[in-house]
Short mmCIF file of all heavy atoms in Angstrom, two decimals:
data_model
loop_
_atom_site.label_atom_id
_atom_site.label_comp_id
_atom_site.label_asym_id
_atom_site.label_seq_id
_atom_site.Cartn_x
_atom_site.Cartn_y
_atom_site.Cartn_z
N MET B 12 -53.62 53.60 20.03
CA MET B 12 -52.31 52.93 20.16
C MET B 12 -52.47 51.70 21.04
O MET B 12 -52.06 50.60 20.69
CB MET B 12 -51.31 53.89 20.80
CG MET B 12 -49.90 53.33 20.89
SD MET B 12 -49.20 53.00 19.28
CE MET B 12 -49.03 54.69 18.65
N LEU B 30 -46.72 47.40 49.79
CA LEU B 30 -46.13 46.50 48.79
C LEU B 30 -46.60 45.06 48.93
O LEU B 30 -46.98 44.42 47.94
CB LEU B 30 -44.60 46.55 48.84
CG LEU B 30 -43.91 45.59 47.87
CD1 LEU B 30 -44.28 45.88 46.42
CD2 LEU B 30 -42.41 45.63 48.03
N GLN B 34 -48.53 43.12 45.99
CA GLN B 34 -47.94 41.93 45.39
C GLN B 34 -48.89 40.74 45.48
O GLN B 34 -49.11 40.01 44.51
CB GLN B 34 -46.63 41.62 46.13
CG GLN B 34 -45.91 40.42 45.61
CD GLN B 34 -44.62 40.14 46.37
OE1 GLN B 34 -44.27 40.88 47.31
NE2 GLN B 34 -43.91 39.11 45.97
N ASN B 43 -47.90 37.89 37.35
CA ASN B 43 -46.74 37.30 37.99
C ASN B 43 -45.44 38.03 37.72
O ASN B 43 -44.42 37.70 38.31
CB ASN B 43 -46.61 35.83 37.54
CG ASN B 43 -47.72 35.00 38.15
OD1 ASN B 43 -47.95 35.04 39.35
ND2 ASN B 43 -48.43 34.27 37.30
N SER B 44 -45.48 38.98 36.82
CA SER B 44 -44.24 39.68 36.46
C SER B 44 -44.41 41.17 36.63
O SER B 44 -45.24 41.78 35.96
CB SER B 44 -43.87 39.37 35.01
OG SER B 44 -43.49 38.03 34.86
N PHE B 45 -43.60 41.74 37.48
CA PHE B 45 -43.61 43.19 37.61
C PHE B 45 -42.30 43.64 38.24
O PHE B 45 -41.58 42.84 38.82
CB PHE B 45 -44.80 43.67 38.44
CG PHE B 45 -44.99 42.98 39.75
CD1 PHE B 45 -44.44 43.51 40.91
CD2 PHE B 45 -45.72 41.82 39.84
CE1 PHE B 45 -44.61 42.88 42.13
CE2 PHE B 45 -45.90 41.18 41.06
CZ PHE B 45 -45.34 41.71 42.20
N SER B 46 -41.99 44.90 38.08
CA SER B 46 -40.78 45.41 38.72
C SER B 46 -41.15 46.57 39.63
O SER B 46 -42.14 47.27 39.40
CB SER B 46 -39.73 45.81 37.69
OG SER B 46 -40.21 46.78 36.82
N VAL B 47 -40.36 46.74 40.66
CA VAL B 47 -40.63 47.73 41.71
C VAL B 47 -39.36 48.50 41.97
O VAL B 47 -38.27 47.92 41.99
CB VAL B 47 -41.09 47.04 43.01
CG1 VAL B 47 -41.26 48.05 44.13
CG2 VAL B 47 -42.38 46.26 42.79
N LEU B 48 -39.48 49.80 42.17
CA LEU B 48 -38.31 50.58 42.57
C LEU B 48 -38.75 51.70 43.49
O LEU B 48 -39.91 52.09 43.54
CB LEU B 48 -37.57 51.11 41.35
CG LEU B 48 -38.33 51.91 40.32
CD1 LEU B 48 -38.24 53.38 40.67
CD2 LEU B 48 -37.74 51.67 38.96
N GLU B 72 -44.23 48.80 38.00
CA GLU B 72 -44.40 48.89 36.54
C GLU B 72 -44.72 47.49 36.02
O GLU B 72 -44.01 46.54 36.33
CB GLU B 72 -43.12 49.41 35.92
CG GLU B 72 -43.21 49.69 34.46
CD GLU B 72 -41.99 50.44 33.95
OE1 GLU B 72 -40.98 50.55 34.69
OE2 GLU B 72 -42.03 50.92 32.82
N PHE B 74 -45.99 45.38 32.43
CA PHE B 74 -46.37 45.32 31.02
C PHE B 74 -47.43 44.24 30.87
O PHE B 74 -47.22 43.09 31.30
CB PHE B 74 -45.16 45.04 30.14
CG PHE B 74 -44.24 46.22 30.04
CD1 PHE B 74 -43.15 46.34 30.89
CD2 PHE B 74 -44.47 47.22 29.12
CE1 PHE B 74 -42.31 47.45 30.82
CE2 PHE B 74 -43.64 48.33 29.04
CZ PHE B 74 -42.55 48.44 29.89
N PRO B 105 -49.85 53.70 26.84
CA PRO B 105 -49.84 52.85 25.65
C PRO B 105 -48.46 52.27 25.37
O PRO B 105 -47.44 52.86 25.73
CB PRO B 105 -50.25 53.82 24.53
CG PRO B 105 -49.85 55.16 25.02
CD PRO B 105 -49.97 55.13 26.52
N CYS B 107 -46.24 50.09 22.19
CA CYS B 107 -46.27 49.68 20.78
C CYS B 107 -45.97 48.18 20.64
O CYS B 107 -46.63 47.49 19.87
CB CYS B 107 -45.24 50.45 19.98
SG CYS B 107 -45.40 52.24 20.11
N LYS B 108 -44.93 47.71 21.33
CA LYS B 108 -44.49 46.33 21.19
C LYS B 108 -43.85 45.85 22.46
O LYS B 108 -43.23 46.63 23.19
CB LYS B 108 -43.44 46.20 20.08
CG LYS B 108 -44.05 46.10 18.70
CD LYS B 108 -43.00 45.70 17.68
CE LYS B 108 -43.57 45.84 16.28
NZ LYS B 108 -42.52 45.78 15.26
N VAL B 109 -43.96 44.55 22.72
CA VAL B 109 -43.25 43.93 23.85
C VAL B 109 -42.55 42.67 23.34
O VAL B 109 -43.12 41.92 22.54
CB VAL B 109 -44.21 43.55 25.00
CG1 VAL B 109 -43.42 43.10 26.23
CG2 VAL B 109 -45.13 44.70 25.37
N TYR B 110 -41.31 42.46 23.80
CA TYR B 110 -40.50 41.32 23.39
C TYR B 110 -40.07 40.51 24.61
O TYR B 110 -39.76 41.09 25.66
CB TYR B 110 -39.22 41.79 22.70
CG TYR B 110 -39.39 42.58 21.45
CD1 TYR B 110 -39.45 43.98 21.49
CD2 TYR B 110 -39.44 41.95 20.21
CE1 TYR B 110 -39.57 44.72 20.33
CE2 TYR B 110 -39.56 42.69 19.04
CZ TYR B 110 -39.63 44.08 19.10
OH TYR B 110 -39.75 44.81 17.95
N TRP B 111 -39.99 39.21 24.46
CA TRP B 111 -39.34 38.36 25.45
C TRP B 111 -37.84 38.31 25.16
O TRP B 111 -37.44 37.88 24.06
CB TRP B 111 -39.81 36.90 25.33
CG TRP B 111 -41.25 36.63 25.60
CD1 TRP B 111 -42.14 36.11 24.71
CD2 TRP B 111 -41.96 36.79 26.83
NE1 TRP B 111 -43.37 35.96 25.31
CE2 TRP B 111 -43.28 36.38 26.62
CE3 TRP B 111 -41.59 37.27 28.09
CZ2 TRP B 111 -44.25 36.41 27.61
CZ3 TRP B 111 -42.56 37.31 29.07
CH2 TRP B 111 -43.87 36.89 28.84
N ILE B 112 -37.02 38.68 26.12
CA ILE B 112 -35.57 38.59 25.89
C ILE B 112 -35.15 37.12 25.84
O ILE B 112 -34.29 36.74 25.05
CB ILE B 112 -34.81 39.38 26.98
CG1 ILE B 112 -35.11 40.88 26.82
CG2 ILE B 112 -33.31 39.11 26.91
CD1 ILE B 112 -34.46 41.77 27.87
N ARG B 113 -35.76 36.28 26.66
CA ARG B 113 -35.40 34.86 26.69
C ARG B 113 -35.57 34.19 25.32
O ARG B 113 -34.76 33.36 24.92
CB ARG B 113 -36.26 34.12 27.72
CG ARG B 113 -36.03 32.65 27.79
CD ARG B 113 -36.55 32.05 29.08
NE ARG B 113 -37.95 32.33 29.32
CZ ARG B 113 -38.95 31.57 28.85
NH1 ARG B 113 -38.70 30.50 28.16
NH2 ARG B 113 -40.20 31.89 29.12
N ARG B 115 -36.26 36.02 22.39
CA ARG B 115 -35.99 37.00 21.33
C ARG B 115 -37.12 37.05 20.31
O ARG B 115 -36.89 37.10 19.10
CB ARG B 115 -34.65 36.68 20.64
CG ARG B 115 -33.47 37.04 21.54
CD ARG B 115 -32.16 36.83 20.89
NE ARG B 115 -31.83 35.41 20.86
CZ ARG B 115 -30.62 34.92 20.57
NH1 ARG B 115 -29.63 35.76 20.29
NH2 ARG B 115 -30.40 33.64 20.57
N MET C 32 -49.22 57.10 17.07
CA MET C 32 -48.54 58.09 17.91
C MET C 32 -47.04 58.05 17.62
O MET C 32 -46.41 59.06 17.37
CB MET C 32 -48.77 57.76 19.39
CG MET C 32 -48.17 58.76 20.36
SD MET C 32 -48.91 60.39 20.18
CE MET C 32 -50.57 60.05 20.77
N LEU C 68 -31.16 51.93 35.69
CA LEU C 68 -31.40 51.93 37.13
C LEU C 68 -31.74 50.53 37.59
O LEU C 68 -32.13 49.66 36.80
CB LEU C 68 -32.50 52.93 37.49
CG LEU C 68 -33.83 52.81 36.78
CD1 LEU C 68 -34.75 51.93 37.62
CD2 LEU C 68 -34.43 54.18 36.63
N VAL C 70 -33.89 47.75 39.54
CA VAL C 70 -35.26 47.49 39.96
C VAL C 70 -35.31 46.12 40.65
O VAL C 70 -34.43 45.28 40.45
CB VAL C 70 -36.25 47.48 38.77
CG1 VAL C 70 -36.32 48.85 38.11
CG2 VAL C 70 -35.89 46.42 37.74
N ASN C 71 -36.34 45.93 41.44
CA ASN C 71 -36.60 44.63 42.03
C ASN C 71 -37.68 43.96 41.21
O ASN C 71 -38.69 44.57 40.88
CB ASN C 71 -37.07 44.78 43.47
CG ASN C 71 -35.98 45.36 44.33
OD1 ASN C 71 -34.81 45.06 44.15
ND2 ASN C 71 -36.37 46.22 45.26
N TYR C 73 -40.31 40.61 40.37
CA TYR C 73 -41.11 39.51 40.93
C TYR C 73 -41.61 38.66 39.77
O TYR C 73 -41.62 39.09 38.64
CB TYR C 73 -42.31 40.07 41.69
CG TYR C 73 -41.92 40.87 42.89
CD1 TYR C 73 -41.58 42.21 42.75
CD2 TYR C 73 -41.88 40.29 44.14
CE1 TYR C 73 -41.19 42.95 43.85
CE2 TYR C 73 -41.50 41.02 45.25
CZ TYR C 73 -41.17 42.35 45.09
OH TYR C 73 -40.79 43.08 46.18
N GLY C 74 -42.11 37.50 40.09
CA GLY C 74 -42.77 36.66 39.10
C GLY C 74 -41.78 36.11 38.10
O GLY C 74 -40.84 35.39 38.49
N GLU C 75 -41.97 36.43 36.86
CA GLU C 75 -41.06 35.98 35.80
C GLU C 75 -39.61 36.25 36.19
O GLU C 75 -38.71 35.56 35.77
CB GLU C 75 -41.39 36.70 34.49
CG GLU C 75 -40.36 36.62 33.36
CD GLU C 75 -40.35 35.26 32.66
OE1 GLU C 75 -41.24 34.44 32.89
OE2 GLU C 75 -39.41 35.02 31.89
N ARG C 90 -32.97 48.13 34.68
CA ARG C 90 -33.96 48.71 33.76
C ARG C 90 -33.23 49.76 32.95
O ARG C 90 -32.66 50.70 33.50
CB ARG C 90 -35.10 49.34 34.54
CG ARG C 90 -36.21 49.93 33.69
CD ARG C 90 -37.20 50.63 34.62
NE ARG C 90 -38.37 51.13 33.97
CZ ARG C 90 -38.43 52.26 33.27
NH1 ARG C 90 -37.35 53.01 33.12
NH2 ARG C 90 -39.55 52.64 32.72
N ASP C 101 -37.32 49.42 17.07
CA ASP C 101 -37.31 47.95 17.03
C ASP C 101 -35.89 47.40 16.93
O ASP C 101 -35.57 46.39 17.55
CB ASP C 101 -38.16 47.44 15.87
CG ASP C 101 -39.65 47.63 16.15
OD1 ASP C 101 -40.05 47.60 17.31
OD2 ASP C 101 -40.41 47.82 15.18
N MET C 108 -32.07 42.64 23.21
CA MET C 108 -32.42 41.21 23.36
C MET C 108 -31.23 40.33 23.05
O MET C 108 -30.93 39.38 23.78
CB MET C 108 -33.55 40.85 22.42
CG MET C 108 -34.90 41.20 22.99
SD MET C 108 -36.19 40.36 22.07
CE MET C 108 -36.21 41.39 20.60
N ASP C 109 -30.54 40.62 21.95
CA ASP C 109 -29.39 39.80 21.58
C ASP C 109 -28.30 39.86 22.65
O ASP C 109 -27.67 38.86 22.98
CB ASP C 109 -28.82 40.27 20.23
CG ASP C 109 -29.75 39.93 19.08
OD1 ASP C 109 -30.68 39.10 19.26
OD2 ASP C 109 -29.58 40.50 18.00
N HIS C 112 -29.69 38.22 26.23
CA HIS C 112 -30.30 36.90 26.12
C HIS C 112 -29.42 35.81 26.72
O HIS C 112 -28.26 35.66 26.35
CB HIS C 112 -30.53 36.61 24.63
CG HIS C 112 -31.01 35.25 24.33
ND1 HIS C 112 -30.16 34.23 23.98
CD2 HIS C 112 -32.24 34.72 24.33
CE1 HIS C 112 -30.86 33.14 23.78
NE2 HIS C 112 -32.13 33.41 23.98
N LEU C 115 -32.63 31.61 29.58
CA LEU C 115 -33.19 31.09 30.83
C LEU C 115 -34.34 31.97 31.30
O LEU C 115 -34.43 33.15 30.94
CB LEU C 115 -32.10 31.06 31.90
CG LEU C 115 -30.87 30.23 31.55
CD1 LEU C 115 -29.80 30.41 32.61
CD2 LEU C 115 -31.24 28.76 31.41
N ASP C 118 -34.88 36.24 31.98
CA ASP C 118 -34.14 37.10 31.05
C ASP C 118 -34.77 38.48 30.91
O ASP C 118 -34.10 39.43 30.51
CB ASP C 118 -34.07 36.46 29.66
CG ASP C 118 -32.80 35.62 29.47
OD1 ASP C 118 -32.00 35.52 30.42
OD2 ASP C 118 -32.63 35.08 28.36
N GLY C 119 -36.07 38.57 31.21
CA GLY C 119 -36.71 39.88 31.19
C GLY C 119 -37.40 40.21 29.88
O GLY C 119 -37.61 39.34 29.02
N ILE C 120 -37.75 41.49 29.73
CA ILE C 120 -38.51 41.92 28.57
C ILE C 120 -37.96 43.24 28.03
O ILE C 120 -37.26 43.98 28.72
CB ILE C 120 -40.00 42.13 28.92
CG1 ILE C 120 -40.14 43.14 30.06
CG2 ILE C 120 -40.68 40.82 29.25
CD1 ILE C 120 -41.56 43.56 30.28
N ALA C 121 -38.33 43.51 26.77
CA ALA C 121 -38.03 44.79 26.15
C ALA C 121 -39.33 45.32 25.58
O ALA C 121 -40.15 44.54 25.08
CB ALA C 121 -36.99 44.62 25.04
N ALA C 122 -39.54 46.62 25.65
CA ALA C 122 -40.79 47.20 25.16
C ALA C 122 -40.50 48.51 24.44
O ALA C 122 -39.52 49.19 24.74
CB ALA C 122 -41.76 47.44 26.31
N VAL C 123 -41.36 48.83 23.48
CA VAL C 123 -41.29 50.10 22.76
C VAL C 123 -42.55 50.89 23.09
O VAL C 123 -43.66 50.38 22.91
CB VAL C 123 -41.18 49.87 21.24
CG1 VAL C 123 -41.10 51.21 20.50
CG2 VAL C 123 -39.98 48.99 20.91
N PRO C 125 -44.72 54.68 22.79
CA PRO C 125 -44.81 55.89 21.97
C PRO C 125 -44.41 57.13 22.77
O PRO C 125 -44.55 57.17 24.00
CB PRO C 125 -46.30 55.95 21.60
CG PRO C 125 -47.00 55.21 22.68
CD PRO C 125 -46.05 54.14 23.14
#
Side-chain angles (χ1 to χ4, degrees):
Chain B
M12 184 63 67
L30 177 61
Q34 180 180 0
N43 290 309
S44 291
F45 50 93
S46 59
V47 175
L48 54 91
E72 186 170 12
F74 288 94
C107 305
K108 277 192 190 166
V109 188
Y110 298 93
W111 297 119
I112 293 178
R113 177 162 56 87
R115 287 183 284 193
Chain C
M32 183 64 68
L68 54 93
V70 296
N71 295 323
Y73 295 83
E75 166 75 10
R90 182 185 185 281
D101 288 330
M108 277 195 284
D109 290 345
H112 173 265
L115 302 173
D118 267 1
I120 57 170
V123 180

